[in-house]
Amino acid sequence: MFQTFKEWFWLERFWLPPTIKWSDLEDHDGLIFVKPSHLYVTIPYAFVLIIIRHFFQKFIASPLAKTFGIKEEVQKKTTPNTVLENFFKHSTRKPSQTDIYGLAKKCNLTERQVERWFRSRQNQDRPCRMKKFQEACWRFTFYLIITSAGIAFLYDKPWVYDLWEVWNGYPRQPLLPSQYWYYILEMSFYWSLLFSLGSDIKRKDFLAHVIHHLAAVSLMSFSWCANYIRSGTLVMIVHDVADIWLECFDCNETFSFVWFFRILYCTLILPLHYLQPFFSYIFLNLQLMVLQVLNLYWSYFILKMLKRSIFTKQLYLLYRMSCAEERSQKLAVKNKREIDSR
């Protein structure tokens, strides 16, 4: 049964253009072509990256955080209370006044004590600034390194400057050592992010991150097996460049613009000049669309956050101005009284 499924899964009509067979992509004359078995190594490499990350966060990110004034926060443990804990987990983290009154009666506490318990419990789940910095520092460092490596791998490749070259000779395009290592490192990193989701800080967009990491691994695996290596490296370099700045300044909307008008044009429009549409062409572009939707989703929240930040800053400036004006008025009144007393 497994053999039947395997034969069906690797049918050439799913992966390759019409008239092309797997035998056309066998190694010959010193040329090496992609093989699905190449990707097995990404799993152990992912665990190696997790180990490297542990030591990086302990010996590099933590001291760096302290130089920026970020200290390890000691979380105060909330007094155990089964009734309140069940309500907190299964009902709501922010109870109404009616809920507080009912819970106080059940637990034989005052309403003030119940309110204090919920505030303490919410603070207990709040992400530690040190841990947030460590995670962001690790991602920033990796994206910086992999982007530098990607530029070194791609700067002399003709398809970076002429998108028509992406599809010239497809799918009979041999694998280069630089493409191999770029893919392997990138996939290993995203596997490591998936494996560490359970221990990382739970964000509001946790589900979006899971979908993004799964889509990234799926897209890289699929593009590798179907030999979309050239377009795959372009997708990765654009993504990595944006992710560096995303960790610092949240500028994902620029990435979305470049992604849509550059990469999708390359994968959606240009192939039609060389090939008839086939299954892997359609599936590849569907996955790219999923990532694009996620990027637009994050762009919306980033713009919303920037708007709130600017509005908060304006309110703070108005408050400072009103305080300064009030102090000036008090000083003027005081001076006037001193003059009158003379």
Side-chain angles (χ1 to χ4, degrees), residues 252-265:
N252 204 27
E253 62 273 10
T254 304
F255 166 58
S256 297
F257 181 85
V258 175
W259 177 284
F260 188 81
F261 289 101
R262 184 77 174 166
I263 303 300
L264 285 181
Y265 173 74

Side-chain angles (χ1 to χ4, degrees), residues 12 16 20-35 38 171-175 227:
E12 289 153 345
L16 302 173
I20 301 296
K21 300 184 179 300
W22 289 117
S23 57
D24 297 325
L25 301 181
E26 292 180 356
D27 300 346
H28 62 273
D29 301 329
L31 299 177
I32 299 174
F33 292 85
V34 296
K35 298 175 183 63
H38 288 157
R172 298 183 182 90
Q173 296 170 340
L175 175 66
N227 206 20

Side-chain angles (χ1 to χ4, degrees), residues 71-85:
K71 297 179 181 179
E72 195 78 49
E73 298 171 4
V74 180
Q75 296 282 1
K76 292 183 179 179
K77 289 288 183 181
T78 308
T79 306
N81 188 305
T82 307
V83 175
L84 298 182
E85 185 69 28

